[in-house]
Amino acid sequence: MPSSVETLEFQAETRQLLRLVIHSIYSNKDIFLRELISNASDALDKLRLESLTGSLAGVDISDLHISLEVDRGARTLTVRDNGIGMTRDDLVELIGTIAKSGTAGLLEKIKESKDAATTESLIGQFGVGFYSAFMVADQVTVHTRRAGTDSGTQWESDGEGSYTIQAADDLPVGTSVTLHLKPADSEDGLADYLSESKIRQIVKRYSDFIRWPIRMATDRTDADGEATSDLDTLNSMKALWARPRSEVTEHEYNEFYQQISHDWLPPAETIHMRAEGTFEYEALLFIPSQAPFDLYSRESKSGVQLYVKRVFIMDDCEALMPNYLRFVKGVVDAHDLSLNVSRELLQHDRQIQGVRRRLVKKVLGALKDMQAKDAERYTKVWAQFGQALKEGLLEDTDNSEALLELVSAASTHDPEKTTTLREYVGRMKDGQDTIYYLTGETRAMVENSPHMEAFAAKGYEVLILTDPIDEVWVDQVPAFDGHPMQSIAKGQVDLDDTADDETETDADKVQREQDFAALLPWLTTTLSDHVKQVRLSSRLTTSAACIVGDAHDVTPTLEKMYRAMGQQMPTVKRILELNPTHPLITALRTAHHADAEAPALKETAELIYGSALLAEGGDLPDPARFTRLLTDHLTRTL
């Protein structure tokens, strides 16, 4: 006798969810196939688990698989698995009622088993994702038979508010979901989901690493023109991150890296990790050998992909990696997230934030190990990504110490090689406590700066910082390992306190201050439009003058950067320092003492200021006037 057909209403919340799924939750309709394949994979996982630990022990699991079947005439696409299957009550509970995945109850059974630690990762859910089928189908039919039972069940609905359910005979163990597809509609985002190429594309993108084979019959024409049908496996099933590191070859790592990064070079470093506990995940990360062309572009995105139980969720998952590590490529496969988790939810998820912290420490630790064990390779990596890593000194205060250990900079110690801050500290002179640095546009400009003269003469090493980001982070990092960092172009510098030989007595200093007591206030007044103070310098040996800032002043280069970004900056007056032993300065002092009102003195003062400004790479406030004054003075000397 034919079985009776029951018509049941969806739970009210389920009807609301159906409307949301069809119209709101999924912006990309291709997702439906990902969801159905994921559900099929979960069913296979559960059957395998039950065959090993439950009432189904001994059941044949030798050919667990997922099949995709296309019927163009009927316009149907069927997703079939030979997994655990469902009973009639399962269907009503799992599909007719929202948020009844069955996972919680099964998870309790697993925790009671002796093999719980190794089997929790097998658990999936047959839940919300099923409803995505109604985005592309006018009608959905489910045939299923639970393993260990003799009878099957048919479930059918158009997704409008009710569904029918009835017994079905002669069904194999497992579940088939048949979608009666809507016509293709490009304006509504509906592709031709009967197309072999489209199906292959979706499987490759979202389900390539599912552990079970996904098979589809494809039509072929042989050499004789005869039509044949072959059964193809559409997915690779090679999730390297799920395998122990000892079982993966370097060639496999490189091949996978090139696949996800589209980089033809092998990575500089591979990081393979697995975390167990309250939140389980696997990660396979790569540090590239070469920076991508868009690393410093506003459009640059994170290179880490998010998977959930081998199902692809999203590219460029910003929640998993900070912006300064955007060059890191790889995948993170979480076990306990929903397949339809959004970027916004990830940003605020505490477990994801914990994963992010651990990934960052792992990447920074790998770079530190590379620095210690393979300095040459690390130098190349730093040359490619150093500027990005230094952004972390502004963004990531929790890891600032680790990042400072990684900083590699040019210095006056070696014209060819860079140095770390740790190496700099190890070479400090006796009595020196400060790390000295100077920022600038190029190494040549920094090395030839007047600010360098006394440091070179007395043998003090100075870090040469020429990246634009250097202008910013040095102000945010007051010290390294207890040693304050000081710009030699800012504040007072008195190297005599730590010099090996003191050639100037206190009496000499007092006499020098008396000699310039009249000139310095006069120069401060004369140049008041440009400087806030004129004082004697202890940092100059050959140049007549230099311009310095107060300890917390914005540097001229940083001013330029802000203005180039359209930010208005208040004019910052700086300090003009004079070399009291330079012939020009002593001659100016003598001339001022003889006639403080002489017109040529003011012009000379302007020339000294302009020359100091040019020496540090600054821009003259009035280049034409400076040129005229210089020409007039040169003419008078001939």
Side-chain angles (χ1 to χ4, degrees):
M1 295 181 62
S3 62
S4 60
V5 179
E6 297 179 77
T7 300
L8 303 175
E9 295 290 323
F10 281 115
Q11 181 191 31
E13 291 87 348
T14 306
R15 290 198 298 271
Q16 295 173 4
L17 177 66
L18 274 167
R19 287 193 291 270
L20 284 172
V21 167
I22 295 171
H23 301 293
S24 303
I25 291 181
Y26 295 100
S27 58
N28 178 8
K29 290 182 169 55
D30 292 355
I31 295 295
F32 85 92
L33 189 53
R34 179 195 77 177
E35 298 285 346
L36 296 181
I37 290 175
S38 178
N39 289 340
S41 176
D42 289 342
L44 296 172
D45 286 339
K46 290 175 182 177
L47 178 61
R48 179 178 179 276
L49 176 64
E50 286 289 322
S51 73
L52 297 173
T53 62
S55 59
L56 300 175
V59 71
D60 182 17
I61 57 171
S62 61
D63 186 30
L64 298 180
H65 63 275
I66 300 166
S67 297
L68 305 181
E69 301 167 5
V70 172
D71 186 335
R72 285 193 165 274
R75 285 198 57 77
T76 61
L77 172 64
T78 299
V79 180
R80 186 186 306 276
D81 68 73
N82 57 347
I84 190 73
M86 291 176 282
T87 64
R88 176 198 177 281
D89 291 342
D90 290 337
L91 275 172
V92 173
E93 184 178 16
L94 298 179
I95 301 179
T97 306
I98 188 174
K100 296 289 186 180
S101 68
T103 301
L106 184 55
L107 196 57
E108 287 298 322
K109 295 179 182 179
I110 292 174
K111 288 181 178 179
E112 295 171 3
S113 73
K114 297 180 180 180
D115 200 27
T118 59
T119 56
E120 279 190 24
S121 63
L122 298 176
I123 305 308
Q125 65 179 34
F126 192 102
V128 174
F130 169 78
Y131 302 122
S132 64
F134 290 102
M135 293 190 303
V136 300
D138 294 313
Q139 185 174 336
V140 177
T141 304
V142 178
H143 291 95
T144 185
R145 177 183 150 205
R146 167 82 184 192
T149 66
D150 297 325
S151 61
T153 308
Q154 174 182 307
W155 179 101
E156 193 166 53
S157 175
D158 60 5
E160 291 297 324
S162 64
Y163 58 91
T164 63
I165 194 165
Q166 61 183 310
D169 297 327
D170 301 325
L171 292 182
V173 170
T175 301
S176 68
V177 181
T178 299
L179 284 67
H180 301 264
L181 295 170
K182 300 174 183 178
D185 185 347
S186 58
E187 291 186 3
D188 195 32
L190 283 169
D192 179 9
Y193 295 113
L194 297 172
S195 164
E196 178 186 332
S197 61
K198 183 62 178 178
I199 292 172
R200 287 180 178 272
Q201 175 193 342
I202 296 174
V203 171
K204 184 68 176 177
R205 176 166 176 78
Y206 293 106
S207 307
D208 193 45
F209 302 116
I210 292 286
R211 75 174 70 211
W212 310 109
I214 303 170
R215 299 170 182 164
M216 184 172 68
T218 56
D219 295 331
R220 298 282 189 273
T221 302
D222 61 22
D224 299 325
E226 294 290 330
T228 61
S229 182
D230 296 328
L231 200 61
D232 287 352
T233 299
L234 306 185
N235 60 323
S236 70
M237 299 176 284
K238 294 181 179 179
L240 294 189
W241 60 83
R243 292 161 53 188
R245 180 158 193 159
S246 59
E247 297 179 7
V248 185
T249 67
E250 183 178 359
H251 175 74
E252 287 177 308
Y253 279 133
N254 292 349
E255 191 176 58
F256 180 73
Y257 165 73
Q258 290 169 352
Q259 175 187 339
I260 63 171
S261 68
H262 309 294
D263 184 3
W264 60 276
L265 292 174
E269 186 66 33
T270 300
I271 303 167
H272 194 164
M273 59 184 290
R274 176 184 177 88
E276 297 179 343
T278 56
F279 189 76
E280 295 188 9
Y281 64 92
E282 290 121 0
L284 181 54
L285 305 177
F286 301 93
I287 299 173
S289 301
Q290 182 173 288
F293 71 93
D294 63 345
L295 181 61
Y296 300 104
S297 165
R298 288 185 178 181
E299 288 72 34
S300 178
K301 296 179 180 179
S302 169
V304 177
Q305 300 174 351
L306 175 63
Y307 284 73
V308 173
K309 290 178 289 185
R310 302 195 188 184
V311 177
F312 175 76
I313 303 301
M314 68 179 70
D315 271 320
D316 313 320
C317 187
E318 298 97 336
L320 288 170
M321 199 64 66
N323 186 56
Y324 71 90
L325 292 178
R326 58 190 176 275
F327 57 86
V328 174
K329 307 295 183 183
V331 300
V332 173
D333 189 355
H335 293 197
D336 304 307
L337 286 175
S338 167
L339 292 186
N340 48 28
V341 66
S342 69
R343 292 181 186 272
E344 291 73 20
L345 289 175
L346 285 175
Q347 295 289 352
H348 303 288
D349 188 277
R350 294 179 63 183
Q351 291 178 317
I352 288 294
Q353 293 304 310
V355 173
R356 174 188 173 118
R357 286 192 293 271
R358 183 164 181 185
L359 293 179
V360 170
K361 290 187 181 298
K362 200 73 174 178
V363 171
L364 298 183
L367 288 169
K368 182 62 179 175
D369 289 344
M370 188 192 303
Q371 184 188 59
K373 299 174 182 177
D374 193 342
E376 183 178 351
R377 181 161 57 107
Y378 178 76
T379 299
K380 293 178 181 178
V381 169
W382 179 263
Q384 295 292 321
F385 306 109
Q387 288 191 57
L389 284 164
K390 284 186 281 192
E391 293 173 18
L393 294 168
L394 306 174
E395 303 170 6
D396 189 357
T397 54
D398 291 340
N399 290 295
S400 59
E401 291 185 10
L403 286 163
L404 282 173
E405 291 282 0
L406 295 175
V407 169
S408 185
S411 88
T412 55
H413 173 71
D414 191 317
E416 302 295 333
K417 296 181 180 179
T418 57
T419 184
T420 65
L421 297 180
R422 181 70 58 193
E423 291 168 339
Y424 179 103
V425 169
R427 291 191 296 266
M428 279 183 172
K429 293 169 67 71
D430 291 340
Q432 179 186 352
D433 185 55
T434 302
I435 298 173
Y436 296 112
Y437 68 87
L438 183 59
T439 60
E441 294 184 12
T442 66
R443 179 177 185 126
M445 288 181 63
V446 172
E447 285 182 322
N448 294 320
S449 169
H451 302 101
M452 280 282 195
E453 292 173 1
F455 289 86
K458 296 179 180 293
Y460 285 94
E461 182 177 355
V462 178
L463 297 177
I464 300 172
L465 306 178
T466 56
D467 288 339
I469 189 68
D470 292 334
E471 296 285 348
V472 186
W473 74 262
V474 289
D475 286 333
Q476 305 297 317
V477 179
F480 169 73
D481 196 27
H483 299 280
M485 297 186 64
Q486 180 179 345
S487 169
I488 66 172
K490 286 186 178 183
Q492 292 275 14
V493 172
D494 190 357
L495 298 180
D496 289 340
D497 292 341
T498 56
D500 293 331
D501 57 330
E502 296 189 2
T503 58
E504 186 178 46
T505 65
D506 291 340
D508 293 333
K509 294 179 181 179
V510 172
Q511 182 61 49
R512 184 181 65 192
E513 291 172 359
Q514 291 176 353
D515 292 341
F516 285 88
L519 178 64
L520 297 181
W522 177 83
L523 280 171
T524 300
T525 302
T526 301
L527 298 172
S528 59
D529 289 343
H530 309 297
V531 301
K532 58 186 172 185
Q533 183 186 0
V534 180
R535 68 190 183 199
L536 298 180
S537 178
S538 62
R539 71 186 91 212
L540 298 173
T541 59
T542 58
S543 296
C546 69
I547 297 176
V548 301
D550 273 338
H552 301 291
D553 279 353
V554 175
T555 66
T557 303
L558 192 55
E559 278 190 65
K560 290 181 184 178
M561 289 170 56
Y562 282 131
R563 291 196 175 102
M565 292 186 291
Q567 298 188 31
Q568 295 299 317
M569 294 289 296
T571 301
V572 178
K573 291 184 179 180
R574 298 165 70 210
I575 300 166
L576 179 66
E577 286 194 353
L578 304 180
N579 180 355
T581 63
H582 194 280
L584 175 59
I585 303 305
T586 56
L588 178 62
R589 183 196 68 191
T590 302
H592 177 266
H593 180 73
D595 183 4
E597 300 300 323
L601 290 182
K602 290 185 177 181
E603 295 179 352
T604 303
E606 286 188 55
L607 288 171
I608 291 173
Y609 168 74
S611 299
L613 196 60
L614 289 174
E616 70 163 12
D619 296 326
L620 293 168
D622 189 347
R625 175 174 172 78
F626 179 84
T627 302
R628 181 176 58 78
L629 291 177
L630 180 60
T631 302
D632 291 345
H633 274 252
L634 289 174
T635 301
R636 288 197 294 269
T637 63
L638 296 176

